Amino acid sequence: MLRLAGAALLVLGSVGAGFCVCRQMRGQTEQLFLLGSLFEELAGEIGYSRACLPELLQSSGRRLLETPSGITLGEALLRVSGRMEEERGQCLEEIWEEEMGRFLESGRLSPEKRRWLLRFPDLLGYPDGGRQQESVERLAQRFCRAGEELRQRSERESRAILAVSAACGLLTVVLLF
């Protein structure tokens, strides 16, 4: 009886590990789409209202606080906005890197996507609002495209991950008993 319970726990633990991997992939996908929509919104506001950056970040941050998946990103944007308005003599690049570095501690984005996010202040270096808008739109498209690719990959691989994790659990049971 105890062996049977142990075997069941081994298999369930292996399947649970597979579910965790699948959930992590979904979390990465969600974060990529969230960043894509954020930068789409910022590009639209840059082109339409031409408001100053702290105001844009503050309104986007407040909007993201209303969604469960965007709370940490919204808080980061509000911190960036607040620090920019304090005018302590720090440039946007420093503030952005520090605050987004805290956001990136969640560890969901790959190093390449982290660099994309941290390069955002460089995209605003154009004096022309139209070029700023275009560069931020390209960044949004990159995040959305990466999110779509990861979503498609996770759909293809999630069944295989669960099957392999279950098989590993069963193999462990066979080897131990």
Side-chain angles (χ1 to χ4, degrees):
M1 187 66 177
L2 228 76
R3 283 183 173 205
L4 187 60
L9 287 174
L10 272 170
V11 172
L12 286 175
S14 296
V15 172
F19 274 118
C20 286
V21 170
C22 293
R23 191 180 78 210
Q24 183 181 14
M25 289 174 68
R26 280 192 303 273
Q28 288 174 342
T29 303
E30 188 176 293
Q31 199 167 50
L32 289 170
F33 282 122
L34 184 68
L35 288 167
S37 69
L38 166 70
F39 290 118
E40 283 177 358
E41 179 184 326
L42 288 176
E45 289 295 322
I46 288 171
Y48 177 72
S49 69
R50 308 247 185 213
C52 63
L53 188 60
E55 291 175 18
L56 294 177
L57 294 177
Q58 191 173 54
S59 67
S60 295
R62 284 188 185 132
R63 182 187 60 80
L64 286 170
L65 284 177
E66 296 171 2
T67 61
S69 60
I71 290 175
T72 55
L73 180 58
E75 290 170 346
L77 292 175
L78 290 174
R79 285 193 305 267
V80 170
S81 173
R83 287 181 61 185
M84 287 177 69
E85 288 177 344
E86 288 176 5
E87 298 181 32
R88 288 194 216 167
Q90 285 185 306
C91 63
L92 172 62
E93 289 84 4
E94 292 173 8
I95 296 170
W96 186 262
E97 189 169 331
E98 288 174 19
E99 297 300 337
M100 286 299 132
R102 288 186 198 169
F103 166 71
L104 290 172
E105 288 174 356
S106 66
R108 289 187 173 170
L109 294 180
S110 69
E112 179 186 19
K113 275 72 171 187
R114 288 172 185 249
R115 283 192 298 276
W116 292 355
L117 180 61
L118 294 176
R119 276 200 58 233
F120 170 69
D122 298 338
L123 303 177
L124 302 175
Y126 301 108
D128 176 27
R131 291 194 61 196
Q132 286 179 357
Q133 181 182 6
E134 288 173 14
S135 62
V136 175
E137 283 174 349
R138 278 194 305 273
L139 180 63
Q141 290 169 356
R142 288 173 98 179
F143 276 113
C144 288
R145 193 171 33 252
E148 185 60 32
E149 290 170 4
L150 185 59
R151 185 186 62 76
Q152 290 174 356
R153 192 181 105 211
S154 69
E155 285 177 357
R156 282 192 315 266
E157 295 177 0
S158 63
R159 287 190 186 131
I161 290 170
L162 291 174
V164 167
S165 65
C168 287
L170 288 173
L171 180 63
T172 304
V173 167
V174 168
L175 290 175
L176 290 176
F177 297 106

